[in-house]
Amino acid sequence: MNEIARQENTEIARLDNLAAEARAYSEGLALNMFQLGRVFTEAKKLVAHGEWQNWIRANSGMSERSAQQLMAIYNRFGDRPAFAGVEKSKLFKMLSLPEGEEDNFLAENDVQDMTSRQVEEAVRKA
């Protein structure tokens, strides 16, 4: 095997490893997003009235709106294992589904292989 072919094989192997890492970290992000939504949901019950926005900024660096979105995702999808690996952008789109249609939507759509735009369109049809 010549040097160029060896280098190409090394680069392909490295790219495959990076792809596996990307998938693993993406799954971790989704799981952490649910956990952060859970933490915010629990904390909101305990934070003094009028201090929520300050608490969010001090403890997460996020905006109150971002925290609210994560809380909504947790409250809607957090206790359903089927949603654990779904990307954040797709979950945001699925918040527009009619209440109680989440499981049907997953059964009828291959959300993992759809783009966010395709999910948004399918949600509109639902």
Side-chain angles (χ1 to χ4, degrees), residues 71-87:
M71 292 165 63
I73 285 172
Y74 168 73
N75 290 322
R76 186 100 182 251
F77 308 114
D79 63 346
R80 294 180 164 143
F83 290 92
V86 177
E87 295 170 33

Side-chain angles (χ1 to χ4, degrees), residues 15-120:
L15 188 56
D16 287 345
N17 287 338
L18 290 171
E21 281 186 63
R23 286 188 296 274
Y25 289 132
S26 290
E27 279 186 25
L29 270 174
L31 293 174
N32 285 337
M33 180 179 60
F34 283 120
Q35 291 305 315
L36 190 52
R38 179 191 57 77
V39 166
F40 288 155
T41 299
E42 291 179 20
K44 184 159 185 171
K45 298 172 188 172
L46 303 172
V47 172
H49 182 73
E51 292 299 315
W52 179 239
Q53 186 174 17
N54 291 335
W55 190 92
I56 288 293
R57 289 212 185 273
N59 293 290
S60 72
M62 293 182 155
S63 68
E64 183 177 8
R65 178 70 184 131
S66 294
Q68 289 169 341
Q69 288 176 320
L70 291 175
M71 292 165 63
I73 285 172
Y74 168 73
N75 290 322
R76 186 100 182 251
F77 308 114
D79 63 346
R80 294 180 164 143
F83 290 92
V86 177
E87 295 170 33
K88 181 171 96 170
S89 61
K90 295 175 185 179
L91 289 170
F92 285 135
K93 306 285 186 203
M94 289 190 293
L95 283 172
S96 298
L97 285 169
E99 257 328 297
E101 288 297 313
E102 302 86 357
D103 293 324
N104 289 338
F105 186 81
L106 272 190
E108 295 171 3
N109 296 280
D110 188 4
V111 174
Q112 295 290 0
D113 288 334
M114 296 168 74
T115 65
S116 288
R117 188 165 287 162
Q118 289 169 325
V119 169
E120 183 176 29

